Structures are given as structure tokens and as C-alpha cells.
Amino acid sequence: MPLPKPRRRESQDDFISRCMANSVTTRDYPGQAQRYAVCQSQWEGRKANNMKLHGIAVNSLAGYEVRYEMKDGRQHIVAPVVILVEGVHSGTAGPIFYPLEEIRDFPGSWDGRPVTLGHPSVDDSAVSAGSPEMLDQYAIGTLFRTRFDPERRGLVSEIWVDVERARRMSREVLDSLMAGQPLEVSTGLWYEDSGGPGVWSGESFQTTARDF
């Protein structure tokens, strides 16, 4: 049997409660933290039954300067980052085209999203980073000041990395940030399929991402 999906006009609290008690989720995810993360991912994919999660390699941090800021009484190291640019991106769901008109809509909606070490997963299945358990396990910071950059034809932002959390979770990443050394960056997002295969600037893709 499939995992439960949100019903029309069902609230988030009602769905999470129903999902947590569902026979399939309790059987497949007996741990409460794992089950909550899966249910949260199901909720965040509620826009459409074919909403999917795509992890894509976007860019690498290189040649950047950092600064230090205080937030919530804690020191953060801040660095610029490219979240997503127009084009075909290959990742966990294959080559997908991300059109300009979708990328430049609502850049502020990215602010406050977690910066994680790797992509959160439960039993080798990708899940949302938005649950308390996944935040505790993976998050080292937050995105802020996201905007559309017309020259890059994409979204640029700042990663605010909690220095103490980063030191505890990955000293290697923190040292690289502090030294301005290159770092691989990838973006995980929910998207909805739109259309079939095509070609953009000589690159083939399987589908076009919308409402991500």
C-alpha cells in the first residue's frame, strides 16, 4: 500500500496525526522520528500527487569572501551562494529543465530554508529537511537575502552557518569556509512535472520543473 497523502482541505496538523498513525508508515518506519520526517515530506509534497524531490549539483563555492555576523546570540559565518540557475540540471531525478520564469518568481520564499550537510534521508529515501529531527541531524545554518540575479539568470543567496554547530558536525567544512576554499554546493527542492522530454541549448531533459 502507498504512503498516505493529504486530503483536500485537510490541515497540516490533521494530516501529520493521521500519517503518524497510518498502518503503512508505522510498519515501514517504526521509529517516531523517521516516521515524522516521512510524513512531513508527504505534506510538503501536497501540491500535486506527482510532486517529487530533486537533489541537484548547482555550483561550487570558490573565490568568495566571508564575513561574521551575530544571530540569536550565536556567531555565524556568512558566504555567498548560487542556489539555482536557468538550465538543465541532472541529479537524483535525472536531467530536468528549470525555466527562467519559474526561477525568478518569489525569490524571498527561499529565505529561512535550512542549510544542511548533505541531503536528509530516511532508509536511503530522500526526505524534507523541515522536520525537527532532520534539522537537528543535518542543519548547520540558514539561507537569507535571496534574490534573482539577471546576469546569472538565477537565484543567489547567503548561507548563514552557525559556527559552533558546524564545528561540532564537520570541522572540515567550517575550516574550508573560514579559509574561502572551494566547496561543492547542491540544492534539494520539491518540484512538479510539466510536459515531456525536450532539448534546451543542446541539452536533453526528461521533463520541466514547475512550482518548485
Side-chain angles (χ1 to χ4, degrees):
M1 292 180 64
L3 293 172
K5 295 177 180 179
R7 296 167 179 160
R8 185 176 176 83
R9 298 189 179 89
E10 185 175 30
S11 70
Q12 180 176 359
D13 287 345
D14 288 345
F15 170 71
I16 295 296
S17 295
R18 180 169 63 84
C19 180
M20 291 289 287
N22 180 268
S23 60
V24 174
T25 56
T26 54
R27 180 197 65 203
D28 294 346
Y29 306 97
Q32 188 170 2
Q34 289 184 332
R35 191 159 69 252
Y36 182 89
V38 170
C39 291
Q40 182 70 20
S41 292
Q42 287 293 99
W43 172 259
E44 293 191 3
R46 67 192 181 282
K47 287 183 180 178
N49 289 340
N50 64 338
M51 206 75 172
K52 300 175 182 178
L53 187 63
H54 194 200
I56 54 178
V58 176
N59 208 338
S60 62
L61 284 174
Y64 57 94
E65 294 184 359
V66 301
R67 70 179 193 275
Y68 292 87
E69 301 277 359
M70 294 298 294
K71 177 181 173 294
D72 299 330
R74 299 173 66 89
Q75 187 181 48
H76 286 68
I77 185 169
V78 182
V81 67
V82 177
I83 299 175
L84 185 65
V85 297
E86 180 186 31
V88 177
H89 299 288
S90 295
T92 55
I96 296 175
F97 175 52
Y98 287 82
L100 182 67
E101 63 270 19
E102 293 283 337
I103 292 174
R104 66 187 175 197
D105 283 348
F106 311 115
S109 65
W110 290 82
D111 288 349
R113 301 293 181 178
V115 175
T116 61
L117 285 174
H119 292 284
S121 64
V122 173
D123 294 339
D124 296 325
S125 296
V127 298
S128 167
S131 72
E133 292 77 15
M134 294 299 105
L135 289 174
D136 287 344
Q137 185 175 347
Y138 288 92
I140 60 170
T142 312
L143 286 175
F144 288 117
R145 296 176 177 160
T146 308
R147 61 182 177 84
F148 175 73
D149 185 338
E151 292 186 3
R152 292 180 181 270
R153 298 178 70 83
L155 294 173
V156 297
S157 188
E158 292 182 344
I159 55 171
W160 287 52
V161 174
D162 185 307
V163 172
E164 189 56 39
R165 280 188 64 85
R167 180 178 289 115
R168 186 171 69 250
M169 296 174 67
S170 176
R171 185 59 190 256
E172 181 181 0
V173 168
L174 178 61
D175 288 346
S176 295
L177 272 174
M178 295 174 69
Q181 296 175 347
L183 281 172
E184 289 294 324
V185 177
S186 62
T187 300
L189 51 81
W190 291 102
Y191 74 98
E192 185 176 349
D193 282 331
S194 177
V199 178
W200 179 86
S201 294
E203 293 187 79
S204 299
F205 58 85
Q206 296 175 353
T207 188
T208 298
R210 302 285 182 185
D211 295 331
F212 47 82

